[in-house]
Amino acid sequence: MKALALFSGGLDSMLAMKLISSQGIEVKALNINIGFGSRTDKSELMRKRAAMAGASFEMIDVQNEYLSKVLFNPKFGYGKHYNPCIDCHAFMFKTALSMLKDEKASFIITGEVLGQRPMSQRGDAMAKVKALAADEEDLILRPMCAKNLPETKPERLGWVDRNKLEGISGRSRKRQLELAQEFGFEDFESPGGGCLLTLESFAKKLRDLKDNSNEIELSDTQLLKYGRHLRLPNGAKMIVGRNELENQLLKALKNNKFEEIKLFDLVGAYSLLSKDSSKEDLELALKIALTYTKAENNKSYELEFLDKKFTSKAFENKEMISKYLVS
């Protein structure tokens, strides 16, 4: 017997997998990568945590499909920010269900707890997820709160011993921490969402992108993860790194809609600007780029954009830039 587990890397997922692997069932943890789970690659850490719970691990890249099918047209709408949680969960389940045959697995598990999250983990929301995921055979099992829910096929047919599952509900973490101690789990992530779509700052950048783009590609959304984002008066987009790490990450991302503003010998933030910027937006962007360097006030500096050289001065202070900031 084998189960596929939706695995976020958090404690609830680890516990759910341990409850199933402890019953002698093979578990494979699937991290369904929609592109908004983290700003950094945590695959090796998740592989280690899955192993602690007795499971193998694989990351499934569905970023393009999620962007085109789910993010901007969710059937059940958004949560507080730009998080289509019900549609997102259903999409992940549907992806896992489609893998059952090839993986020679029989059912799906998840670490969800009834009542823990206001949008996606209510009883009615779980029913919507089930319907949208087309779980017609009743193969989605939630070991952490199974005793609060109707029996699923794995329980009815005796694949899983329901008595060894949990009946947790609500937002308290007491029982989870007791189980973590019982199983010897010391390395696990604190609860806090982990999804960028639930963050107000990220949602602002995503809305701005949607409002100002005819076509959105994966490379556009990946840029949203790093730097200060500015929308200039004539519509140009500018991105300015916040620190050396973000500078390096922005340099590594390839997007043919943007070009670097080169600073030459100046020390400062890495800046990107829309290639199709107007003359006015470009002049403003050059001043902004200089303001995030060690440039001296009232001194002119040479910069380069799209292989052309320009001369500009920095603003007297960063407050003059605030009105252009998206986030």
Side-chain angles (χ1 to χ4, degrees):
M1 187 62 62
K2 180 178 179 181
L4 300 181
L6 295 189
F7 182 45
S8 64
L11 177 59
D12 289 345
S13 301
M14 293 174 66
L15 294 172
M17 292 192 297
K18 186 65 174 179
L19 289 170
I20 298 303
S21 65
S22 295
Q23 295 193 33
I25 297 169
E26 181 183 353
V27 178
K28 182 171 185 177
L30 304 178
N31 179 255
I32 310 294
N33 181 16
I34 62 171
F36 301 100
S38 174
R39 288 186 170 89
T40 57
D41 181 3
K42 294 185 177 180
S43 54
E44 286 308 309
L45 178 60
M46 286 192 284
R47 188 183 305 278
K48 176 184 173 184
R49 288 175 176 166
M52 289 171 58
S56 57
F57 173 81
E58 183 178 354
M59 182 173 284
I60 309 299
D61 190 341
V62 294
Q63 296 178 81
N64 282 308
E65 189 178 1
Y66 182 80
L67 191 63
S68 63
K69 294 183 178 180
V70 181
L71 183 58
F72 297 114
N73 190 33
K75 180 177 179 179
F76 292 104
Y78 299 102
K80 185 177 180 181
H81 298 300
Y82 223 112
N83 47 314
C85 293
I86 293 175
D87 292 73
C88 183
H89 281 221
F91 175 74
M92 291 182 178
F93 279 125
K94 197 167 188 176
T95 300
L97 286 165
S98 71
M99 296 173 62
L100 285 174
K101 184 176 180 181
D102 288 343
E103 289 289 338
K104 296 181 174 57
S106 300
F107 62 101
I108 308 294
I109 65 170
T110 172
E112 293 170 288
V113 170
L114 186 65
Q116 188 177 83
R117 297 192 185 280
M119 184 174 181
S120 62
Q121 293 180 17
R122 305 185 315 268
D124 62 323
M126 289 179 175
K128 291 174 182 176
V129 168
K130 177 181 175 63
L132 197 56
D135 179 28
E136 297 171 356
E137 294 188 54
D138 206 15
L139 297 176
I140 297 174
L141 171 66
R142 297 173 171 89
M144 298 296 286
C145 59
K147 291 178 180 177
N148 297 322
L149 300 171
E151 287 190 344
T152 58
K153 184 176 180 178
E155 297 164 282
R156 290 195 302 270
L157 296 186
W159 301 346
V160 172
D161 185 347
R162 182 178 172 90
N163 292 324
K164 295 180 180 179
L165 304 180
E166 292 290 320
I168 304 171
S169 64
R171 307 193 70 174
S172 171
R173 307 287 293 173
K174 181 180 178 181
R175 180 57 181 157
Q176 285 94 321
L177 294 174
E178 289 175 351
L179 286 170
Q181 185 174 16
E182 180 182 329
F183 293 142
F185 292 169
E186 295 180 353
D187 174 32
F188 53 84
E189 206 163 281
S190 299
C195 178
L196 295 173
L197 298 174
T198 65
L199 303 179
E200 182 179 7
S201 59
F202 192 85
K204 286 181 180 178
K205 290 185 281 189
L206 190 55
R207 286 194 184 93
D208 173 78
L209 175 64
K210 187 175 186 296
D211 291 344
N212 290 278
S213 303
N214 294 323
E215 184 178 343
I216 298 176
E217 301 172 353
L218 181 61
S219 58
D220 299 324
T221 61
Q222 297 310 294
L223 280 173
L224 301 181
K225 296 180 179 181
Y226 312 110
R228 305 171 184 87
H229 287 243
L230 304 95
R231 185 64 63 179
L232 306 186
N234 291 331
K237 175 74 172 286
M238 185 176 184
I239 305 170
V240 183
R242 298 177 193 272
N243 50 52
E244 184 57 33
L245 176 59
E246 285 199 338
N247 289 345
Q248 295 303 319
L249 290 168
L250 286 169
K251 286 178 184 178
L253 291 173
K254 305 300 179 184
N255 187 308
N256 59 15
K257 298 175 185 176
F258 292 87
E259 182 72 21
E260 173 190 0
I261 296 176
K262 294 182 180 177
L263 301 172
F264 297 112
D265 295 330
L266 272 173
V267 176
Y270 181 80
S271 295
L272 290 170
L273 179 66
S274 307
K275 287 182 178 179
D276 60 356
S277 299
S278 68
K279 178 183 177 183
E280 293 78 12
D281 280 356
L282 172 56
E283 290 175 352
L284 175 58
L286 296 173
K287 292 177 70 67
I288 292 172
L290 283 172
T291 306
Y292 286 103
T293 69
K294 295 185 179 297
E296 298 177 24
N297 285 340
N298 299 316
K299 181 177 179 179
S300 294
Y301 292 88
E302 189 174 65
L303 303 94
E304 184 177 302
F305 182 71
L306 290 174
D307 298 322
K308 293 182 180 179
K309 290 184 171 60
F310 302 89
T311 301
S312 186
K313 296 179 181 179
F315 282 113
E316 292 181 6
N317 58 68
K318 294 184 176 69
E319 291 180 5
M320 301 176 74
I321 301 171
S322 61
K323 62 183 175 181
Y324 306 115
L325 284 170
V326 177
S327 179

